[in-house]
Amino acid sequence: AQTVTQSQPEMSVQEAETVTLSCTYDTSESDYYLFWYKQPPSRQMILVIRQEAYKQQNATENRFSVNFQKAAKSFSLKISDSQLGDAAMYFCAYRSPWDTPLVFGKGTRLSVIA
Amino acid sequence: DTEVTQTPKHLVMGMTNKKSLKCEQHMGHRAMYWYKQKAKKPPELMFVYSYEKLSINESVPSRFSPECPNSSLLNLHLHALQPEDSALYLCASSQVSSNQPQHFGDGTRLSIL
C-alpha cells in the first residue's frame, strides 16, 4: 500500500519569506498523481497544486511551486513571498492511476509571522 | 466560494437522534466522496460513489448510511451515533479520473452529545 509522509508537523515563516514543506511517499507504481491541499481554519480543503508523475517539469501556480524528485519519491512544496493568508494546514496526497482513493499525509501546520 | 455545498455547517445531536448531512455539486462530477476528519488529522475516507453507485465503503459502521439520489446530490444519514463520531465531515467531488483533483466542501461540524 502507498504511504505519504510529512515529517514536519509544524513550520513557521516570516511574511514575505520563502518556506518549503516536505513530503515523501512510498509506491511501486511508475505512474501516479500528487497533490498539495491547503486547509485554513475555515475548514475547506483547497487544492494548491498538482503534479503528474510522468511529467518531468515541476508544477507551478503563482507563488506555489513543487520540487518533484521521482527517483527519491519526494514532492516538496515551496511557497514564495509568504502571506498571512497562507497560514493553514497543508496536506500532501497521492493517488494511483487506478481510480483509487487519495492517500493523505498527516499534514504540516504552517504559521506566518507578521 | 466553494463549488461543493454542504449543509448544515454545524450539527449537534443526541445519540438517539436521526439526522442527515447533505452535499451538492453542479460541476458535472460523477464521483462523490464522504470523509471524516478529526482535529489536527488528515481526512479519512468513508465512502465513494462513482456514477451514483457505491464503489467504496471503508468498513464504516452501519450507523452511517450514504445515499446518492442523483449525480449532483450526496447524503449521509446518521442514526444512533456515538460520542467518538464527533468530527468534521467533508464531502468532495471529482471527475471519474485519477488525475483530476477532488473539490471539497466546507464540511459539517458534527457534535454528538
Side-chain angles (χ1 to χ4, degrees), chain A residues 33 35 37 39 42-45 47 50 52 89 91 95-102 104-107 109, chain B residues 2 9-10 33 35 37 40-43 45 56 88 96-102 104-107 109:
Chain A
Y33 310 98
F35 305 89
Y37 280 90
Q39 189 177 34
S42 62
R43 312 182 319 201
Q44 187 189 5
M45 294 276 284
L47 178 69
R50 62 175 168 171
E52 292 160 326
M89 195 76 167
F91 293 101
R95 194 175 190 189
S96 77
W98 314 116
D99 196 23
T100 54
L102 284 172
F104 285 96
K106 291 187 175 182
R109 181 168 299 281
Chain B
T2 180
K9 293 193 181 303
H10 302 273
Y33 312 79
Y35 289 88
Q37 187 180 24
K40 300 184 180 180
K41 299 289 186 182
L45 183 68
I56 294 177
L88 179 68
V96 183
S97 176
S98 292
N99 69 340
Q100 297 301 310
Q102 294 178 18
F104 287 81
D106 287 345
R109 178 79 62 192

Side-chain angles (χ1 to χ4, degrees), chain A residues 78-92:
Chain A
K78 185 172 83 170
I79 306 174
S80 304
D81 185 26
S82 296
Q83 300 175 359
L84 294 176
D86 295 333
M89 195 76 167
Y90 286 81
F91 293 101
C92 179

Side-chain angles (χ1 to χ4, degrees), chain B residues 60-75:
Chain B
V60 179
S62 60
R63 57 186 185 267
F64 295 90
S65 176
E67 178 195 22
C68 190
N70 60 56
S71 60
S72 299
L73 293 173
L74 184 67
N75 298 321

